[in-house]
């Protein structure tokens, strides 16, 4: 609801200062040929940064109130009807974009461009306008639709930078970015219990740690009890695209129940992948139970077999991933401590549905409410 102060605030269009500022904005838009420039993400982001700065400063320096955004949207759309991006909602986003990223510190920057180091301030073509280093880096790499999702969903700067880096590196669409934020990827990435620091050299150990999540969320699977590891494998492979998305960039699927012959015995790996960036095989073992130390010993054996039978000379050591329904962190750390092969242990979750024959035996909402009423009167 609009307060009395807002009701009594004169329209910005009646202020000489607003008229002068609007004239400057229109000239700026024309001078940089925005009709062509706004087709390029880099130019769009830089222009939005300037416009957001102008709006934020005018609101702090004048008594126009929030009506300025409504008036500005109306005036710019009237002057430039063929240019999208001047809606009232989008101008609010533009203001929010500037006010959010202006608070980034010098330490919170995207990785430098290839072959060069970023300075503390970068200058672009709009007169003497200067930008924090992150803004030109976003421009040309992160679409405006992605930035709006970050403004809506993420408040922590380090988390924002994480999603910016991941989006640029992995080429995420808008929907994929939204999904990764919803699944709390930032909180899960690199959280697996592992022995990578003891079994892999730097920086391979750090890269491997950041590759593995905890927990893994397989909410695209709907399993009816009772089910076992083989059922989960079948579902994962039938949803291989979503499975690979949850695993992360770099995993190439080799096979399921992959056969290895050691001595005169046959062994079968649940899932075998090759990781392009880590340059190694990755063995994934699924356990539909809580982690127990014996699982680590068996996986250690599998990794030795893959290193002997599949690994090429230029491949890095094979990595193992145990995915369990539950684990005790201290117990898991003890189990991995003296293993000589690199492995990590993570939990996984999926959607469990009740069999039809059980649904009818459950109380209805009405029955539960009736029971509660009876208890309250006793």
């Amino acid at each position: 609801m609009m307060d009395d102060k807002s009701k009594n605030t004169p329209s910005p269009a009646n202020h000489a200062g607003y008229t002068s500022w609007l004239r400057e904005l229109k000239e700026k838009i024309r001078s940089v040929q925005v009709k062509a420039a706004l087709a390029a993400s880099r130019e769009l982001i830089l222009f939005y940064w300037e416009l957001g700065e102008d709006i934020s400063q005018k609101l702090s320096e004048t008594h126009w109130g929030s009506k300025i955004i409504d008036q500005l949207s109306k005036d710019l759309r009237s002057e430039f009807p063929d240019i999208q991006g001047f809606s009232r909602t989008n101008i609010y986003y533009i203001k929010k974009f500037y006010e959010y990223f202006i608070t980034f510190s010098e330490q919170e920057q995207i990785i430098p461009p290839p072959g060069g180091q970023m300075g503390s301030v970068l200058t672009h073509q709009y007169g003497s306008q200067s930008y924090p280093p992150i803004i030109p880096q976003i421009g040309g790499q992160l679409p405006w639709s992605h930035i709006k999702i970050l403004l809506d969903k993420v408040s922590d700067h380090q988390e924002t930078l994480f999603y910016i880096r991941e989006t640029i590196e992995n080429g995420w669409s808008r929907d994929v970015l939204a999904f990764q934020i919803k699944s709390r990827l930032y909180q899960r990435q690199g959280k697996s219990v592992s022995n990578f620091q003891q079994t892999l050299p730097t920086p391979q150990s750090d890269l491997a740690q950041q590759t593995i999540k905890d927990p893994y969320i397989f909410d695209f699977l709907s399993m009816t009890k009772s089910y076992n590891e083989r059922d989960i494998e079948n579902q994962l492979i039938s949803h291989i695209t979503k499975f690979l998305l949850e695993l992360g960039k770099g995993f190439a699927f080799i096979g399921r129940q992959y056969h290895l012959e050691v001595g005169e015995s046959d062994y079968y790996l649940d899932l075998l992948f090759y990781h392009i960036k880590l340059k190694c095989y990755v063995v994934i073992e699924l356990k539909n139970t809580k982690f127990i130390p014996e699982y680590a010993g068996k996986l250690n054996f599998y990794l030795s077999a893959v290193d002997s039978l599949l690994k090429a000379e230029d491949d890095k050591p094979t990595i193992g991933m145990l995915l369990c329904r539950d684990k005790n962190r201290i117990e898991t750390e003890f189990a991995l401590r003296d293993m000589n092969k690199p492995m990590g242990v993570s939990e996984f979750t999926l959607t469990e549905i009740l069999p039809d024959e059980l649904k009818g035996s459950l109380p209805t909402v009405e029955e539960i409410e009736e029971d509660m009423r009876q208890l309250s009167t006793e």
Side-chain angles (χ1 to χ4, degrees):
M1 181 180 295
M2 188 177 296
D3 56 26
D4 293 338
K5 181 178 180 181
S6 298
K7 290 180 180 179
N8 298 327
T9 302
S11 170
N14 298 327
H15 288 270
Y18 173 79
T19 303
S20 174
W21 176 58
L22 179 63
R23 187 185 309 115
E24 293 175 4
L25 280 180
K26 290 177 179 179
E27 288 302 317
K28 182 182 293 184
I29 293 172
R30 292 191 184 94
S31 69
V32 297
Q33 297 179 320
V34 158
K35 287 184 180 181
L38 291 192
S41 178
R42 179 179 173 85
E43 298 299 324
L44 175 67
I45 298 307
L46 296 178
F47 172 72
Y48 279 176
W49 175 265
E50 278 201 73
L51 182 56
E53 182 179 27
D54 278 342
I55 295 171
S56 182
Q57 290 180 351
K58 291 297 180 183
L59 284 174
S60 64
E61 295 170 357
T62 67
H63 300 289
W64 295 344
S66 60
K67 288 183 179 180
I68 185 178
I69 293 180
D70 298 322
Q71 185 67 48
L72 184 62
S73 172
K74 178 181 177 181
D75 291 335
L76 291 181
R77 283 188 295 173
S78 175
E79 186 73 17
F80 305 100
D82 297 330
I83 299 178
Q84 297 181 348
F86 294 141
S87 68
R88 176 180 179 275
T89 299
N90 202 56
I91 290 179
Y92 269 108
Y93 272 113
I94 291 170
K95 173 179 174 289
K96 187 175 181 180
F97 168 60
Y98 169 78
E99 293 174 347
Y100 181 77
F101 282 99
I102 195 64
T103 61
F104 268 51
S105 70
E106 290 297 315
Q107 288 73 38
E108 294 171 329
Q109 307 300 340
I110 296 185
I111 54 176
Q117 298 292 323
M118 295 193 309
S120 59
V121 177
L122 299 182
T123 304
H124 202 259
Q125 67 183 45
Y126 297 126
S128 59
Q129 179 70 27
S130 297
Y131 313 93
I134 192 173
I135 301 305
Q137 285 289 302
I138 291 176
Q141 299 191 79
L142 208 64
W144 178 241
S145 61
H146 290 55
I147 294 174
K148 289 196 294 183
I149 290 177
L150 292 172
L151 294 175
D152 280 339
K153 304 295 185 181
V154 185
S155 58
D156 179 75
H157 286 178
Q158 288 299 321
E159 185 174 352
T160 299
L161 284 172
F162 169 81
Y163 286 116
I164 289 174
R165 292 189 184 102
E166 292 294 315
T167 299
I168 292 173
E169 181 178 349
N170 298 298
W172 286 344
S173 67
R174 180 183 183 277
D175 289 341
V176 171
L177 172 60
F179 168 79
Q180 299 290 19
I181 295 173
K182 185 177 180 180
S183 71
R184 297 173 58 83
L185 177 62
Y186 176 72
Q187 287 76 20
R188 297 187 292 125
Q189 194 85 16
K191 299 301 188 294
S192 174
V193 178
S194 77
N195 63 356
F196 295 149
Q197 293 295 327
Q198 294 76 40
T199 56
L200 292 173
T202 305
Q204 182 84 354
S205 58
D206 295 331
L207 183 57
Q209 184 66 44
Q210 288 305 311
T211 299
I212 301 183
K213 309 167 187 174
D214 188 25
Y216 283 86
I217 299 177
F218 301 142
D219 57 359
F220 50 88
L221 305 184
S222 295
M223 308 297 294
T224 301
K225 289 186 175 180
S226 63
Y227 55 86
N228 56 29
E229 288 91 348
R230 192 67 58 86
D231 297 324
I232 298 173
E233 288 174 30
N234 291 333
Q235 285 278 328
L236 288 174
I237 299 309
S238 66
H239 296 83
I240 189 65
T241 300
K242 293 180 179 178
F243 183 30
L244 288 172
L245 176 62
E246 176 61 7
L247 288 180
K249 185 178 180 181
F251 282 89
F253 179 60
I254 304 297
R256 64 176 292 271
Q257 290 302 304
Y258 192 91
H259 175 247
L260 293 177
E261 184 176 343
V262 180
E264 296 181 355
S265 299
D266 295 317
Y267 296 92
Y268 296 89
L269 312 179
D270 286 348
L271 299 163
L272 180 64
F273 292 83
Y274 189 87
H275 198 281
I276 308 302
K277 195 169 184 179
L278 291 171
K279 300 186 186 303
C280 69
Y281 285 99
V282 179
V283 177
I284 296 181
E285 285 290 294
L286 290 166
K287 299 297 180 183
N288 193 32
T289 61
K290 181 180 178 180
F291 171 82
I292 58 175
E294 288 86 340
Y295 293 158
K298 186 175 182 181
L299 181 57
N300 197 74
F301 170 78
Y302 284 162
L303 299 181
S304 295
V306 172
D307 280 342
S308 297
L309 302 175
L310 300 179
K311 176 179 171 293
E313 289 186 7
D314 56 346
D315 287 334
K316 304 295 184 182
T318 304
I319 290 174
M321 293 169 55
L322 268 171
L323 303 187
C324 305
R325 296 308 304 270
D326 192 15
K327 70 178 185 302
N328 178 283
R329 190 172 188 89
I330 296 177
E331 182 182 45
T332 305
E333 290 174 350
F334 268 77
L336 300 186
R337 182 172 297 177
D338 293 324
M339 292 292 167
N340 62 356
K341 294 295 183 181
M343 64 183 74
V345 179
S346 298
E347 296 175 12
F348 72 92
T349 64
L350 44 74
T351 302
E352 296 181 358
I353 58 177
L354 287 170
D356 291 336
E357 60 268 21
L358 291 182
K359 292 179 180 177
S361 64
L362 293 176
T364 64
V365 173
E366 291 78 9
E367 290 171 336
I368 294 174
E369 290 177 344
E370 179 60 27
D371 288 342
M372 294 296 291
R373 280 194 295 269
Q374 292 180 3
L375 287 172
S376 64
T377 58
E378 292 178 356

